[in-house]
Amino acid sequence: PKSNWRCLDFSLEARHDMWPCLVYFLALAIPPAVSAFGRGKLFQSSKNVYELEAAGVENDVANSRSPWVVMYYADWCPHCHHYAPSFERIAQKVSPSHVGPVQFGALNCPDFMAFCTKIQIPGYPSVRTYHFKGDVGHALSGSRPDRDMVHDEKKFVAWLQRNAPEDNVTLSEPAEETTKEPKVGVRGAKQASTN
């Protein structure tokens, strides 16, 4: 008798029909491997970056008087895994062991999808700043710094130093000056420096 289960029919005539079965069984095996790669918080054992929850962003970050830098990520995202060591080094340079004027945090969006949708996180990783000079973002969703700058450690550290509120203590490690920016007036015209 012929089996209704073609995947279990190992006769010579049925072997050419086994490809869909192999694909099906491989598909069953791949998700556990992929999810095993991504599961877990990226900064769980960090000494410089707090692993946040949605309530922590709402209560501690948005209502804080201290400046914050928060990385929104997905634990399954390879770009997030790639950027996490850079974010850790930036935090280490600015506020080692959480001691400094700027606090660093990270939130795993798949664990708090409704919150990340509410504050319009467009993709992963996304970095937002809170309570820096010139921040124009909403208190809960923060401001979006330039993406290229965020991925350049020296530039981002220098930006954090320039834009930290003045009532905070100086940052732990001064950034190297790359270029002096000209003074810009209200309409964008360069102002003459007075000596």
Side-chain angles (χ1 to χ4, degrees):
K2 230 176 179 144
S3 171
N4 289 337
W5 291 86
R6 289 237 176 225
C7 293
L8 300 176
D9 186 1
F10 295 107
S11 68
L12 285 176
E13 12 183 271
R15 286 192 184 171
H16 70 279
D17 292 334
M18 290 182 69
W19 286 109
C21 297
L22 286 173
V23 170
Y24 174 75
F25 286 121
L26 284 175
L28 288 176
I30 290 174
V34 170
S35 65
F37 169 77
R39 288 292 157 218
K41 310 237 183 253
L42 292 183
F43 299 97
Q44 192 166 348
S45 61
S46 173
K47 294 179 182 172
N48 304 303
V49 180
Y50 291 106
E51 191 67 55
L52 300 171
E53 295 184 358
V57 174
E58 290 182 298
N59 298 330
D60 301 333
V61 176
N63 296 324
S64 175
R65 295 188 57 140
S66 299
W68 278 81
V69 180
V70 178
M71 175 181 156
Y72 294 92
Y73 71 93
D75 55 3
W76 48 260
C77 166
H79 300 292
C80 300
H81 283 265
H82 179 74
Y83 181 65
S86 293
F87 191 71
E88 179 79 30
R89 284 190 299 271
I90 291 166
Q92 171 64 32
K93 289 176 183 174
V94 176
S95 296
S97 300
H98 303 294
V99 177
V102 179
Q103 299 298 314
F104 287 81
L107 183 121
N108 185 21
C109 282
D111 291 344
F112 305 99
M113 191 56 73
F115 176 76
C116 290
T117 302
K118 175 181 171 182
I119 64 169
Q120 300 176 346
I121 299 299
Y124 309 119
S126 288
V127 175
R128 299 279 177 93
T129 60
Y130 297 84
H131 315 296
F132 281 85
K133 289 186 218 172
D135 270 353
V136 293
H138 182 270
L140 186 57
S141 58
S143 292
R144 298 177 187 170
D146 179 65
R147 182 182 169 103
D148 292 332
M149 176 195 60
V150 167
H151 288 276
D152 183 322
E153 290 180 35
K154 285 184 181 179
K155 286 182 181 178
F156 196 30
V157 169
W159 184 90
L160 292 170
Q161 289 177 328
R162 281 193 313 273
N163 292 290
E166 292 175 11
D167 59 340
N168 287 301
V169 289
T170 57
L171 300 175
S172 63
E173 182 178 304
E176 295 176 21
E177 284 291 319
T178 52
T179 57
K180 290 268 185 184
E181 296 181 55
K183 292 182 180 178
V184 178
V186 175
R187 297 179 189 227
K190 291 181 184 175
Q191 295 177 348
S193 59
T194 57
N195 288 340

